[in-house]
């Protein structure tokens, strides 16, 4: 596994690989890797790509209230895990080479960034879109793999790729969960033992939305109320949102006819957690099974 820090070197290396007619799969991360991140590398390898992971804690996507300095940094164990996963190249750029002192160009995020995380974390998606575009420039890959765990993030990146005609395919990969349903996240390490028990409330609330839909309850009002009640039962400490949204626009849907995305952001102790689930009407589930 090649570990590259230099920007000219990564570009040259990717150019070299592409000349060999090899396909490149990019996996952008901020490190503190867990099985969810590694599943993206695994997917790139399964698809027959040269897997290129990046590790960069992107300062521009952190707000003043988010603690950039506290973000976990575990480079040595990250590199070991990537090597074990068969990752081919890891790019770990120095921060001052990505953002020079005079850096002033940013991507204006697409409209799907407006609500939810975009509203609660002003500037977050501007930072995400900017770093992802930079990485796409430095590492002209054929495919980039992202986790559905960050559903709105994938929607923002897909819209940016479409709007700016970027020559790359975006693959959204399933969320990897702990055995009890909690979505894996770098932030889970901050949960105390007691928080960890309550954190599974997000998964329970999402699963309940699907069960209620199965039982014929398909209005936004009733599904959202059910999710909130389940979150309060956990109990989580506060709820930022618990909503039923359209899979493409992420605008709230009043009635779930076929499918929708249930999304939650809640705080457990001092840790903010997000999760989501695609919920489907019974007929759609049946059709998916027979396809
Ligand atoms: P991060 O390092 O948190 O920016 O995440 C890097 C990539 O890993 C993003 O595309 C995330 O959506 C993805 N990811 C994070 N957690 C999971 C998970 N539990 N399952 C699948 N992908 C994930």
């Amino acid at each position: 596994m090649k570990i590259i820090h230099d920007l000219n070197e990564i570009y040259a290396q990717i150019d070299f690989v592409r000349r060999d007619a090899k396909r490149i799969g990019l996996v952008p991360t901020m490190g503190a890797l867990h099985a969810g991140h590694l599943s993206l590398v695994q997917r790139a390898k399964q698809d027959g790509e040269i897997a290129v992971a990046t590790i960069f804690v992107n300062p521009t996507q952190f707000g003043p209230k988010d603690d950039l300095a506290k973000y976990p940094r575990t480079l040595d164990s990250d590199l070991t895990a990537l090597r074990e996963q068969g990752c081919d190249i890891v790019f770990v750029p120095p921060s001052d080479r990505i953002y020079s002192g005079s850096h002033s160009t940013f991507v204006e995020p697409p409209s799907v960034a407006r609500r939810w995380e975009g509203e609660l974390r002003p500037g977050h998606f501007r930072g995400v879109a900017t770093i992802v575009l930079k990485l796409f420039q430095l590492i002209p890959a054929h495919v980039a793999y992202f986790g559905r765990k960050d559903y709105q993030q994938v929607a923002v990146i897909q819209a940016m790729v479409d709007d700016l005609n970027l020559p790359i395919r975006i693959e959204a990969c399933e969320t990897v969960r702990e055995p009890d349903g909690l979505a894996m996240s770098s932030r889970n390490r901050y949960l105390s033992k007691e928080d960890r028990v309550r954190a599974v409330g997000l998964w329970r609330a999402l699963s309940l939305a699907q069960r209620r839909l199965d039982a014929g309850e398909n209005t936004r009002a009733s599904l959202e109320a059910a999710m909130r009640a389940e979150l309060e039962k956990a109990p989580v400490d506060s709820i930022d949102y618990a909503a039923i949204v359209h899979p493409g626009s992420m605008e709230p849907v009043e009635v779930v006819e076929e499918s929708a995305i249930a999304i939650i952001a809640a705080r457990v102790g001092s840790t903010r957690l997000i999760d989501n689930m695609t919920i489907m009407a019974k007929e759609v589930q049946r059709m998916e099974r027979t396809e």
Side-chain angles (χ1 to χ4, degrees), residues 28-30 34 36-37 40 146-147 149-150 153 174-176 184:
T29 82
M30 298 209 296
H34 51 65
H37 298 111
L40 305 179
F146 292 90
K149 154 82 169 47
D150 301 286
Q153 173 170 279
E174 281 313 314
T175 302
V176 177
M184 289 195 182

Side-chain angles (χ1 to χ4, degrees), residues 34-52:
H34 51 65
H37 298 111
L38 298 175
S39 75
L40 305 179
V41 174
Q42 206 175 6
R43 176 70 187 281
K45 294 307 293 178
Q46 275 165 5
D47 291 352
E49 321 278 0
I50 296 291
V52 183

Side-chain angles (χ1 to χ4, degrees), residues 7-19 22-26 49-50 52 54 91 132-144 166-169:
L7 274 65
N8 293 323
E9 197 182 333
I10 188 70
Y11 197 82
Q13 184 66 40
I14 298 301
D15 190 43
F16 178 75
V17 174
R18 284 189 75 119
R19 274 167 206 256
K22 298 226 173 85
R23 291 180 50 83
I24 295 174
L26 176 64
E49 321 278 0
I50 296 291
V52 183
T54 67
F91 179 49
V132 170
L133 182 60
K134 279 169 167 279
L135 292 172
F136 287 178
Q137 292 294 111
L138 288 164
I139 304 171
H142 297 86
V143 195
L166 304 179
I168 191 164
R169 186 161 58 80

Side-chain angles (χ1 to χ4, degrees), residues 21-211:
K22 298 226 173 85
R23 291 180 50 83
I24 295 174
L26 176 64
V27 179
T29 82
M30 298 209 296
L33 302 184
H34 51 65
H37 298 111
L38 298 175
S39 75
L40 305 179
V41 174
Q42 206 175 6
R43 176 70 187 281
K45 294 307 293 178
Q46 275 165 5
D47 291 352
E49 321 278 0
I50 296 291
V52 183
T54 67
I55 299 178
F56 181 65
V57 182
N58 176 37
T60 62
Q61 71 187 69
F62 287 79
K65 279 192 243 144
D66 309 323
D67 200 345
L68 168 66
K70 232 186 84 190
Y71 198 83
R73 288 162 171 87
T74 58
L75 186 59
D76 289 346
S77 59
D78 290 351
L79 294 176
T80 305
L82 288 170
R83 197 174 285 117
E84 279 170 11
Q85 207 54 240
C87 185
D88 298 284
I89 300 172
V90 191
F91 179 49
V92 191
S95 191
D96 61 353
R97 291 285 286 118
I98 295 290
Y99 295 107
S100 71
S102 61
H103 184 277
S104 62
T105 306
F106 288 89
V107 175
E108 170 76 21
S111 58
V112 71
R114 208 176 309 136
R115 284 179 185 268
W116 319 119
E117 292 304 292
E119 197 174 330
L120 286 150
R121 303 178 67 189
H124 173 67
F125 285 127
R126 180 178 186 252
V128 168
T130 302
I131 188 62
V132 170
L133 182 60
K134 279 169 167 279
L135 292 172
F136 287 178
Q137 292 294 111
L138 288 164
I139 304 171
H142 297 86
V143 195
Y145 297 87
F146 292 90
R148 261 183 214 276
K149 154 82 169 47
D150 301 286
Y151 189 93
Q152 192 175 16
Q153 173 170 279
V154 186
V156 166
I157 291 163
Q158 183 64 66
M160 175 178 79
V161 164
D162 294 343
D163 291 349
L164 301 182
N165 310 104
L166 304 179
I168 191 164
R169 186 161 58 80
I170 303 302
E171 276 290 333
C173 304
E174 281 313 314
T175 302
V176 177
R177 298 179 179 282
E178 299 289 354
D180 65 358
L182 176 69
M184 289 195 182
S185 163
S186 312
R187 291 174 167 177
N188 291 354
R189 73 189 66 207
Y190 299 128
L191 297 167
S192 69
K193 226 170 171 183
E194 180 256 343
D195 290 347
R196 174 63 186 79
V197 175
R198 296 189 292 134
V200 78
L202 278 80
W203 162 254
R204 290 219 184 97
L206 296 168
S207 310
L208 178 63
Q210 178 63 66
R211 285 204 306 282

